[in-house]
Amino acid sequence: MVKFLSKILTAICLFTFIGSQKTLANDENKKFVYFTFDDGPTAKNTPMILDKLKELNIPATFFVVGKLINENPQVLERIRDENHAIGLHTMSHNRNKCYASHEAFIKENSELRDLLKSKFNIDANLIRFPFGSQNSYLRMDKVFLEKLHNNGFKIYDWHIDTLDALKPQNTGETILSICKSQFQKRFSENKNLVVLMHTNSNNNNTIEALPLLKDYFSNLGYEFNTLTNAPELYNIK
Ligand SMILES: [Zn+2]
């Protein structure tokens, strides 16, 4: 009887052990894709993107431009109220102004962070550099990165570029095949995957691509998340 009981106990322990191992492994194996939209809030495109994200139940991250917030404050409030993340994309998006010096870039993003906090009660410290952190106007190096970190900012470039800024005329299907090709060539092992998109007035085809992209990444086992839950992402050459 004692032997029988101890066998059962061993079996239960083993089962519990395997069960917990499985749960742990599953957590570690989770994969996340982060859709990001630069250059808003715009009057028409951003609300249409928000409608589509709501329909698809996808959380996303919007890197907003200060001068557009003054033009479309109600659109910014919608991004906030629909629980998307909001990041910084300078006040002016003007390469001559925002990239005049490290200090100019930090000032533009600090000003934007203050505006978001004081007028909209939004805490934002994620930065997406216009044209990326390795842009040809003021490239981020270790010294610049340290200054940004000292000011409490976190930097996010991207893995997959939908090319919707360069070629907004591309159809949703073409945008999907561009993403597929970049994913398969370079990022198929990634557990975190950041996708660059735009919400300019000419980005209607980006909206068309969203359901296709959702299906593609969901079928690969990715879950959707906002960048507030992701590690920083940049290259320093
Ligand atoms: Zn931009």
Side-chain angles (χ1 to χ4, degrees), residues 161-205:
D161 182 354
T162 57
L163 300 179
D164 66 343
L166 205 61
K167 295 178 180 173
Q169 72 279 11
N170 279 346
T171 63
E173 285 286 348
T174 305
I175 292 174
L176 173 67
S177 62
I178 287 168
C179 292
K180 271 187 188 176
S181 145
Q182 292 179 29
F183 175 78
Q184 287 162 359
K185 274 185 201 151
R186 300 177 56 198
F187 306 114
S188 59
E189 300 299 316
N190 276 39
K191 290 200 170 175
N192 288 291
L193 201 58
V194 179
V195 182
L196 172 67
M197 294 185 247
H198 292 81
T199 176
N200 285 304
S201 57
N202 60 1
N203 284 128
N204 286 350
N205 292 352

mmCIF file of all heavy atoms in Angstrom, residues 161-205:
data_model
loop_
_atom_site.group_PDB
_atom_site.id
_atom_site.type_symbol
_atom_site.label_atom_id
_atom_site.label_comp_id
_atom_site.label_asym_id
_atom_site.label_seq_id
_atom_site.Cartn_x
_atom_site.Cartn_y
_atom_site.Cartn_z
ATOM 1 N N ASP A 161 10.898 47.033 -42.892
ATOM 2 C CA ASP A 161 10.431 48.306 -43.448
ATOM 3 C C ASP A 161 9.415 47.996 -44.546
ATOM 4 O O ASP A 161 9.769 47.390 -45.567
ATOM 5 C CB ASP A 161 11.631 49.077 -44.023
ATOM 6 C CG ASP A 161 11.233 50.436 -44.568
ATOM 7 O OD1 ASP A 161 10.010 50.739 -44.609
ATOM 8 O OD2 ASP A 161 12.133 51.200 -44.971
ATOM 9 N N THR A 162 8.170 48.408 -44.343
ATOM 10 C CA THR A 162 7.126 48.154 -45.358
ATOM 11 C C THR A 162 7.356 48.983 -46.629
ATOM 12 O O THR A 162 6.680 48.758 -47.625
ATOM 13 C CB THR A 162 5.742 48.536 -44.804
ATOM 14 O OG1 THR A 162 5.789 49.924 -44.409
ATOM 15 C CG2 THR A 162 5.345 47.671 -43.621
ATOM 16 N N LEU A 163 8.281 49.950 -46.551
ATOM 17 C CA LEU A 163 8.597 50.868 -47.662
ATOM 18 C C LEU A 163 7.404 51.745 -48.046
ATOM 19 O O LEU A 163 7.343 52.269 -49.161
ATOM 20 C CB LEU A 163 9.106 50.095 -48.893
ATOM 21 C CG LEU A 163 10.373 49.253 -48.694
ATOM 22 C CD1 LEU A 163 10.744 48.539 -49.991
ATOM 23 C CD2 LEU A 163 11.539 50.126 -48.242
ATOM 24 N N ASP A 164 6.454 51.911 -47.120
ATOM 25 C CA ASP A 164 5.249 52.685 -47.463
ATOM 26 C C ASP A 164 5.494 54.198 -47.492
ATOM 27 O O ASP A 164 4.639 54.951 -47.961
ATOM 28 C CB ASP A 164 4.070 52.326 -46.546
ATOM 29 C CG ASP A 164 4.304 52.740 -45.098
ATOM 30 O OD1 ASP A 164 5.465 53.014 -44.717
ATOM 31 O OD2 ASP A 164 3.317 52.778 -44.338
ATOM 32 N N ALA A 165 6.675 54.647 -46.991
ATOM 33 C CA ALA A 165 6.999 56.079 -47.108
ATOM 34 C C ALA A 165 7.563 56.357 -48.498
ATOM 35 O O ALA A 165 7.192 57.324 -49.157
ATOM 36 C CB ALA A 165 8.014 56.478 -46.046
ATOM 37 N N LEU A 166 8.432 55.442 -48.936
ATOM 38 C CA LEU A 166 9.107 55.608 -50.224
ATOM 39 C C LEU A 166 8.161 55.318 -51.387
ATOM 40 O O LEU A 166 8.180 56.012 -52.411
ATOM 41 C CB LEU A 166 10.282 54.614 -50.254
ATOM 42 C CG LEU A 166 11.459 54.916 -51.148
ATOM 43 C CD1 LEU A 166 12.097 56.233 -50.737
ATOM 44 C CD2 LEU A 166 12.479 53.772 -51.052
ATOM 45 N N LYS A 167 7.332 54.287 -51.206
ATOM 46 C CA LYS A 167 6.444 53.854 -52.297
ATOM 47 C C LYS A 167 5.006 53.689 -51.797
ATOM 48 O O LYS A 167 4.500 52.554 -51.701
ATOM 49 C CB LYS A 167 6.938 52.526 -52.874
ATOM 50 C CG LYS A 167 8.299 52.639 -53.535
ATOM 51 C CD LYS A 167 8.748 51.279 -54.042
ATOM 52 C CE LYS A 167 10.104 51.398 -54.708
ATOM 53 N NZ LYS A 167 10.671 50.099 -55.077
ATOM 54 N N PRO A 168 4.352 54.805 -51.494
ATOM 55 C CA PRO A 168 2.983 54.705 -50.949
ATOM 56 C C PRO A 168 1.983 54.134 -51.952
ATOM 57 O O PRO A 168 0.898 53.715 -51.577
ATOM 58 C CB PRO A 168 2.637 56.158 -50.590
ATOM 59 C CG PRO A 168 3.563 56.996 -51.401
ATOM 60 C CD PRO A 168 4.806 56.200 -51.593
ATOM 61 N N GLN A 169 2.382 54.113 -53.233
ATOM 62 C CA GLN A 169 1.466 53.586 -54.264
ATOM 63 C C GLN A 169 1.406 52.061 -54.263
ATOM 64 O O GLN A 169 0.526 51.465 -54.880
ATOM 65 C CB GLN A 169 1.872 54.116 -55.654
ATOM 66 C CG GLN A 169 3.148 53.515 -56.237
ATOM 67 C CD GLN A 169 4.438 54.159 -55.685
ATOM 68 O OE1 GLN A 169 4.412 54.922 -54.726
ATOM 69 N NE2 GLN A 169 5.576 53.838 -56.292
ATOM 70 N N ASN A 170 2.334 51.387 -53.577
ATOM 71 C CA ASN A 170 2.305 49.921 -53.508
ATOM 72 C C ASN A 170 0.978 49.428 -52.933
ATOM 73 O O ASN A 170 0.474 49.985 -51.959
ATOM 74 C CB ASN A 170 3.435 49.407 -52.600
ATOM 75 C CG ASN A 170 4.771 49.348 -53.325
ATOM 76 O OD1 ASN A 170 4.825 49.445 -54.545
ATOM 77 N ND2 ASN A 170 5.845 49.195 -52.566
ATOM 78 N N THR A 171 0.445 48.356 -53.520
ATOM 79 C CA THR A 171 -0.827 47.815 -53.016
ATOM 80 C C THR A 171 -0.582 47.077 -51.693
ATOM 81 O O THR A 171 0.562 46.771 -51.339
ATOM 82 C CB THR A 171 -1.404 46.790 -54.009
ATOM 83 O OG1 THR A 171 -0.467 45.701 -54.101
ATOM 84 C CG2 THR A 171 -1.631 47.401 -55.380
ATOM 85 N N GLY A 172 -1.680 46.742 -51.017
ATOM 86 C CA GLY A 172 -1.580 45.960 -49.787
ATOM 87 C C GLY A 172 -0.859 44.641 -50.029
ATOM 88 O O GLY A 172 -0.027 44.227 -49.224
ATOM 89 N N GLU A 173 -1.164 43.991 -51.142
ATOM 90 C CA GLU A 173 -0.526 42.705 -51.491
ATOM 91 C C GLU A 173 0.989 42.879 -51.656
ATOM 92 O O GLU A 173 1.777 42.040 -51.225
ATOM 93 C CB GLU A 173 -1.106 42.151 -52.800
ATOM 94 C CG GLU A 173 -2.493 41.555 -52.681
ATOM 95 C CD GLU A 173 -2.498 40.200 -51.981
ATOM 96 O OE1 GLU A 173 -1.418 39.614 -51.792
ATOM 97 O OE2 GLU A 173 -3.606 39.739 -51.607
ATOM 98 N N THR A 174 1.394 43.985 -52.310
ATOM 99 C CA THR A 174 2.833 44.237 -52.507
ATOM 100 C C THR A 174 3.506 44.507 -51.167
ATOM 101 O O THR A 174 4.615 44.003 -50.912
ATOM 102 C CB THR A 174 3.039 45.432 -53.463
ATOM 103 O OG1 THR A 174 2.330 45.158 -54.661
ATOM 104 C CG2 THR A 174 4.494 45.676 -53.773
ATOM 105 N N ILE A 175 2.837 45.262 -50.314
ATOM 106 C CA ILE A 175 3.398 45.541 -48.986
ATOM 107 C C ILE A 175 3.612 44.215 -48.243
ATOM 108 O O ILE A 175 4.659 43.985 -47.627
ATOM 109 C CB ILE A 175 2.480 46.502 -48.181
ATOM 110 C CG1 ILE A 175 2.503 47.890 -48.829
ATOM 111 C CG2 ILE A 175 2.904 46.573 -46.713
ATOM 112 C CD1 ILE A 175 1.536 48.897 -48.232
ATOM 113 N N LEU A 176 2.630 43.325 -48.336
ATOM 114 C CA LEU A 176 2.768 42.006 -47.692
ATOM 115 C C LEU A 176 3.972 41.249 -48.255
ATOM 116 O O LEU A 176 4.774 40.697 -47.484
ATOM 117 C CB LEU A 176 1.490 41.173 -47.894
ATOM 118 C CG LEU A 176 1.582 39.716 -47.421
ATOM 119 C CD1 LEU A 176 1.727 39.630 -45.904
ATOM 120 C CD2 LEU A 176 0.349 38.914 -47.875
ATOM 121 N N SER A 177 4.144 41.262 -49.574
ATOM 122 C CA SER A 177 5.254 40.464 -50.130
ATOM 123 C C SER A 177 6.610 41.089 -49.784
ATOM 124 O O SER A 177 7.594 40.371 -49.597
ATOM 125 C CB SER A 177 5.083 40.222 -51.632
ATOM 126 O OG SER A 177 5.104 41.442 -52.300
ATOM 127 N N ILE A 178 6.676 42.412 -49.653
ATOM 128 C CA ILE A 178 7.916 43.076 -49.204
ATOM 129 C C ILE A 178 8.256 42.615 -47.774
ATOM 130 O O ILE A 178 9.402 42.274 -47.466
ATOM 131 C CB ILE A 178 7.737 44.614 -49.252
ATOM 132 C CG1 ILE A 178 7.734 45.093 -50.715
ATOM 133 C CG2 ILE A 178 8.814 45.341 -48.437
ATOM 134 C CD1 ILE A 178 7.274 46.530 -50.896
ATOM 135 N N CYS A 179 7.241 42.568 -46.922
ATOM 136 C CA CYS A 179 7.465 42.162 -45.527
ATOM 137 C C CYS A 179 7.883 40.695 -45.451
ATOM 138 O O CYS A 179 8.808 40.341 -44.706
ATOM 139 C CB CYS A 179 6.208 42.382 -44.685
ATOM 140 S SG CYS A 179 5.819 44.113 -44.468
ATOM 141 N N LYS A 180 7.197 39.853 -46.223
ATOM 142 C CA LYS A 180 7.519 38.420 -46.245
ATOM 143 C C LYS A 180 8.974 38.222 -46.626
ATOM 144 O O LYS A 180 9.706 37.452 -46.010
ATOM 145 C CB LYS A 180 6.669 37.698 -47.301
ATOM 146 C CG LYS A 180 5.349 37.198 -46.827
ATOM 147 C CD LYS A 180 4.741 36.370 -47.968
ATOM 148 C CE LYS A 180 3.330 35.972 -47.668
ATOM 149 N NZ LYS A 180 2.698 35.254 -48.791
ATOM 150 N N SER A 181 9.397 38.911 -47.677
ATOM 151 C CA SER A 181 10.744 38.713 -48.187
ATOM 152 C C SER A 181 11.793 39.150 -47.150
ATOM 153 O O SER A 181 12.768 38.434 -46.910
ATOM 154 C CB SER A 181 10.856 39.467 -49.521
ATOM 155 O OG SER A 181 12.111 40.002 -49.682
ATOM 156 N N GLN A 182 11.582 40.302 -46.498
ATOM 157 C CA GLN A 182 12.543 40.749 -45.468
ATOM 158 C C GLN A 182 12.548 39.782 -44.280
ATOM 159 O O GLN A 182 13.603 39.454 -43.732
ATOM 160 C CB GLN A 182 12.199 42.163 -44.976
ATOM 161 C CG GLN A 182 12.419 43.237 -46.029
ATOM 162 C CD GLN A 182 12.039 44.621 -45.521
ATOM 163 O OE1 GLN A 182 12.114 44.922 -44.337
ATOM 164 N NE2 GLN A 182 11.619 45.482 -46.435
ATOM 165 N N PHE A 183 11.355 39.321 -43.900
ATOM 166 C CA PHE A 183 11.254 38.402 -42.765
ATOM 167 C C PHE A 183 12.015 37.104 -43.059
ATOM 168 O O PHE A 183 12.824 36.647 -42.247
ATOM 169 C CB PHE A 183 9.778 38.100 -42.459
ATOM 170 C CG PHE A 183 9.588 37.067 -41.389
ATOM 171 C CD1 PHE A 183 9.740 37.411 -40.050
ATOM 172 C CD2 PHE A 183 9.280 35.752 -41.705
ATOM 173 C CE1 PHE A 183 9.586 36.459 -39.044
ATOM 174 C CE2 PHE A 183 9.121 34.792 -40.721
ATOM 175 C CZ PHE A 183 9.273 35.151 -39.383
ATOM 176 N N GLN A 184 11.753 36.550 -44.235
ATOM 177 C CA GLN A 184 12.359 35.256 -44.566
ATOM 178 C C GLN A 184 13.875 35.355 -44.729
ATOM 179 O O GLN A 184 14.614 34.459 -44.338
ATOM 180 C CB GLN A 184 11.729 34.693 -45.847
ATOM 181 C CG GLN A 184 10.315 34.189 -45.587
ATOM 182 C CD GLN A 184 9.489 34.031 -46.863
ATOM 183 O OE1 GLN A 184 9.967 34.317 -47.963
ATOM 184 N NE2 GLN A 184 8.250 33.606 -46.718
ATOM 185 N N LYS A 185 14.350 36.474 -45.269
ATOM 186 C CA LYS A 185 15.791 36.630 -45.488
ATOM 187 C C LYS A 185 16.567 36.899 -44.202
ATOM 188 O O LYS A 185 17.678 36.429 -44.032
ATOM 189 C CB LYS A 185 16.044 37.795 -46.446
ATOM 190 C CG LYS A 185 15.983 37.383 -47.900
ATOM 191 C CD LYS A 185 16.373 38.552 -48.787
ATOM 192 C CE LYS A 185 15.839 38.332 -50.191
ATOM 193 N NZ LYS A 185 15.566 39.563 -50.902
ATOM 194 N N ARG A 186 15.983 37.706 -43.304
ATOM 195 C CA ARG A 186 16.812 38.202 -42.198
ATOM 196 C C ARG A 186 16.273 37.980 -40.801
ATOM 197 O O ARG A 186 17.031 38.010 -39.834
ATOM 198 C CB ARG A 186 17.061 39.711 -42.385
ATOM 199 C CG ARG A 186 17.773 40.035 -43.682
ATOM 200 C CD ARG A 186 17.928 41.535 -43.866
ATOM 201 N NE ARG A 186 18.615 42.162 -42.761
ATOM 202 C CZ ARG A 186 18.586 43.467 -42.507
ATOM 203 N NH1 ARG A 186 17.907 44.272 -43.295
ATOM 204 N NH2 ARG A 186 19.238 43.972 -41.480
ATOM 205 N N PHE A 187 14.950 37.816 -40.644
ATOM 206 C CA PHE A 187 14.412 37.892 -39.284
ATOM 207 C C PHE A 187 13.569 36.698 -38.864
ATOM 208 O O PHE A 187 12.825 36.777 -37.891
ATOM 209 C CB PHE A 187 13.592 39.182 -39.128
ATOM 210 C CG PHE A 187 14.356 40.417 -39.504
ATOM 211 C CD1 PHE A 187 13.980 41.178 -40.611
ATOM 212 C CD2 PHE A 187 15.456 40.824 -38.768
ATOM 213 C CE1 PHE A 187 14.691 42.322 -40.967
ATOM 214 C CE2 PHE A 187 16.173 41.957 -39.109
ATOM 215 C CZ PHE A 187 15.792 42.699 -40.212
ATOM 216 N N SER A 188 13.667 35.589 -39.587
ATOM 217 C CA SER A 188 12.734 34.488 -39.322
ATOM 218 C C SER A 188 12.948 33.856 -37.940
ATOM 219 O O SER A 188 12.074 33.167 -37.443
ATOM 220 C CB SER A 188 12.841 33.435 -40.421
ATOM 221 O OG SER A 188 14.159 32.958 -40.463
ATOM 222 N N GLU A 189 14.110 34.111 -37.304
ATOM 223 C CA GLU A 189 14.354 33.558 -35.967
ATOM 224 C C GLU A 189 14.001 34.547 -34.858
ATOM 225 O O GLU A 189 14.154 34.235 -33.677
ATOM 226 C CB GLU A 189 15.834 33.161 -35.822
ATOM 227 C CG GLU A 189 16.320 32.106 -36.819
ATOM 228 C CD GLU A 189 15.565 30.794 -36.691
ATOM 229 O OE1 GLU A 189 15.365 30.354 -35.545
ATOM 230 O OE2 GLU A 189 15.159 30.241 -37.726
ATOM 231 N N ASN A 190 13.554 35.757 -35.234
ATOM 232 C CA ASN A 190 13.329 36.801 -34.220
ATOM 233 C C ASN A 190 12.159 36.494 -33.293
ATOM 234 O O ASN A 190 11.089 36.109 -33.756
ATOM 235 C CB ASN A 190 13.024 38.136 -34.907
ATOM 236 C CG ASN A 190 14.270 38.874 -35.308
ATOM 237 O OD1 ASN A 190 15.230 38.242 -35.749
ATOM 238 N ND2 ASN A 190 14.273 40.177 -35.157
ATOM 239 N N LYS A 191 12.379 36.742 -32.012
ATOM 240 C CA LYS A 191 11.270 36.648 -31.055
ATOM 241 C C LYS A 191 10.574 37.997 -30.912
ATOM 242 O O LYS A 191 9.446 38.084 -30.457
ATOM 243 C CB LYS A 191 11.780 36.188 -29.698
ATOM 244 C CG LYS A 191 12.217 34.743 -29.761
ATOM 245 C CD LYS A 191 12.264 34.098 -28.417
ATOM 246 C CE LYS A 191 12.471 32.605 -28.614
ATOM 247 N NZ LYS A 191 12.655 31.905 -27.361
ATOM 248 N N ASN A 192 11.287 39.075 -31.241
ATOM 249 C CA ASN A 192 10.698 40.410 -31.299
ATOM 250 C C ASN A 192 10.884 40.933 -32.709
ATOM 251 O O ASN A 192 11.976 40.842 -33.260
ATOM 252 C CB ASN A 192 11.397 41.364 -30.308
ATOM 253 C CG ASN A 192 11.034 41.044 -28.889
ATOM 254 O OD1 ASN A 192 9.910 41.249 -28.468
ATOM 255 N ND2 ASN A 192 11.993 40.513 -28.133
ATOM 256 N N LEU A 193 9.804 41.514 -33.247
ATOM 257 C CA LEU A 193 9.832 41.935 -34.633
ATOM 258 C C LEU A 193 9.132 43.286 -34.752
ATOM 259 O O LEU A 193 7.930 43.389 -34.502
ATOM 260 C CB LEU A 193 9.081 40.874 -35.438
ATOM 261 C CG LEU A 193 9.309 40.748 -36.913
ATOM 262 C CD1 LEU A 193 10.779 40.488 -37.221
ATOM 263 C CD2 LEU A 193 8.461 39.587 -37.444
ATOM 264 N N VAL A 194 9.912 44.315 -35.089
ATOM 265 C CA VAL A 194 9.340 45.664 -35.175
ATOM 266 C C VAL A 194 9.125 46.023 -36.649
ATOM 267 O O VAL A 194 10.049 45.913 -37.459
ATOM 268 C CB VAL A 194 10.277 46.697 -34.502
ATOM 269 C CG1 VAL A 194 9.694 48.101 -34.613
ATOM 270 C CG2 VAL A 194 10.499 46.327 -33.037
ATOM 271 N N VAL A 195 7.911 46.444 -36.972
ATOM 272 C CA VAL A 195 7.544 46.734 -38.367
ATOM 273 C C VAL A 195 7.279 48.234 -38.521
ATOM 274 O O VAL A 195 6.478 48.812 -37.785
ATOM 275 C CB VAL A 195 6.283 45.937 -38.778
ATOM 276 C CG1 VAL A 195 5.944 46.197 -40.243
ATOM 277 C CG2 VAL A 195 6.486 44.448 -38.526
ATOM 278 N N LEU A 196 7.982 48.835 -39.487
ATOM 279 C CA LEU A 196 7.850 50.278 -39.743
ATOM 280 C C LEU A 196 6.751 50.561 -40.769
ATOM 281 O O LEU A 196 6.769 50.018 -41.880
ATOM 282 C CB LEU A 196 9.187 50.809 -40.292
ATOM 283 C CG LEU A 196 9.187 52.248 -40.802
ATOM 284 C CD1 LEU A 196 8.968 53.251 -39.681
ATOM 285 C CD2 LEU A 196 10.487 52.566 -41.538
ATOM 286 N N MET A 197 5.813 51.427 -40.356
ATOM 287 C CA MET A 197 4.758 51.885 -41.271
ATOM 288 C C MET A 197 4.560 53.378 -41.053
ATOM 289 O O MET A 197 5.118 53.958 -40.118
ATOM 290 C CB MET A 197 3.457 51.130 -40.998
ATOM 291 C CG MET A 197 3.540 49.660 -41.323
ATOM 292 S SD MET A 197 1.958 48.823 -41.119
ATOM 293 C CE MET A 197 2.357 47.788 -39.740
ATOM 294 N N HIS A 198 3.760 53.977 -41.908
ATOM 295 C CA HIS A 198 3.527 55.419 -41.817
ATOM 296 C C HIS A 198 2.047 55.753 -41.869
ATOM 297 O O HIS A 198 1.249 54.960 -42.395
ATOM 298 C CB HIS A 198 4.284 56.145 -42.933
ATOM 299 C CG HIS A 198 5.772 56.075 -42.763
ATOM 300 N ND1 HIS A 198 6.502 54.968 -43.146
ATOM 301 C CD2 HIS A 198 6.654 56.946 -42.210
ATOM 302 C CE1 HIS A 198 7.782 55.170 -42.842
ATOM 303 N NE2 HIS A 198 7.907 56.358 -42.268
ATOM 304 N N THR A 199 1.722 56.907 -41.327
ATOM 305 C CA THR A 199 0.327 57.352 -41.344
ATOM 306 C C THR A 199 0.229 58.757 -41.946
ATOM 307 O O THR A 199 -0.385 59.652 -41.395
ATOM 308 C CB THR A 199 -0.328 57.206 -39.938
ATOM 309 O OG1 THR A 199 -1.650 57.725 -39.981
ATOM 310 C CG2 THR A 199 0.460 57.902 -38.837
ATOM 311 N N ASN A 200 0.898 58.899 -43.107
ATOM 312 C CA ASN A 200 0.780 60.156 -43.857
ATOM 313 C C ASN A 200 -0.512 60.137 -44.677
ATOM 314 O O ASN A 200 -1.143 59.086 -44.828
ATOM 315 C CB ASN A 200 1.988 60.320 -44.785
ATOM 316 C CG ASN A 200 3.229 60.715 -44.009
ATOM 317 O OD1 ASN A 200 3.237 61.714 -43.299
ATOM 318 N ND2 ASN A 200 4.283 59.919 -44.122
ATOM 319 N N SER A 201 -0.861 61.295 -45.261
ATOM 320 C CA SER A 201 -2.127 61.378 -45.999
ATOM 321 C C SER A 201 -2.143 60.464 -47.226
ATOM 322 O O SER A 201 -3.209 60.101 -47.716
ATOM 323 C CB SER A 201 -2.400 62.821 -46.399
ATOM 324 O OG SER A 201 -1.306 63.284 -47.165
ATOM 325 N N ASN A 202 -0.963 60.057 -47.724
ATOM 326 C CA ASN A 202 -0.923 59.188 -48.917
ATOM 327 C C ASN A 202 -0.766 57.699 -48.573
ATOM 328 O O ASN A 202 -0.459 56.894 -49.439
ATOM 329 C CB ASN A 202 0.219 59.632 -49.848
ATOM 330 C CG ASN A 202 1.579 59.564 -49.169
ATOM 331 O OD1 ASN A 202 1.681 59.170 -48.006
ATOM 332 N ND2 ASN A 202 2.632 59.943 -49.879
ATOM 333 N N ASN A 203 -0.977 57.327 -47.312
ATOM 334 C CA ASN A 203 -0.729 55.936 -46.898
ATOM 335 C C ASN A 203 -2.000 55.075 -46.788
ATOM 336 O O ASN A 203 -2.107 54.206 -45.914
ATOM 337 C CB ASN A 203 0.036 55.898 -45.571
ATOM 338 C CG ASN A 203 1.505 56.222 -45.728
ATOM 339 O OD1 ASN A 203 2.041 57.079 -45.039
ATOM 340 N ND2 ASN A 203 2.171 55.555 -46.668
ATOM 341 N N ASN A 204 -2.944 55.283 -47.711
ATOM 342 C CA ASN A 204 -4.171 54.481 -47.657
ATOM 343 C C ASN A 204 -3.927 52.996 -47.906
ATOM 344 O O ASN A 204 -4.631 52.141 -47.355
ATOM 345 C CB ASN A 204 -5.199 54.999 -48.669
ATOM 346 C CG ASN A 204 -5.815 56.298 -48.174
ATOM 347 O OD1 ASN A 204 -5.601 56.677 -47.015
ATOM 348 N ND2 ASN A 204 -6.549 56.972 -49.023
ATOM 349 N N ASN A 205 -2.924 52.667 -48.709
ATOM 350 C CA ASN A 205 -2.666 51.251 -48.990
ATOM 351 C C ASN A 205 -2.098 50.515 -47.783
ATOM 352 O O ASN A 205 -2.191 49.286 -47.698
ATOM 353 C CB ASN A 205 -1.720 51.100 -50.190
ATOM 354 C CG ASN A 205 -2.399 51.543 -51.475
ATOM 355 O OD1 ASN A 205 -3.602 51.820 -51.477
ATOM 356 N ND2 ASN A 205 -1.639 51.630 -52.548
#
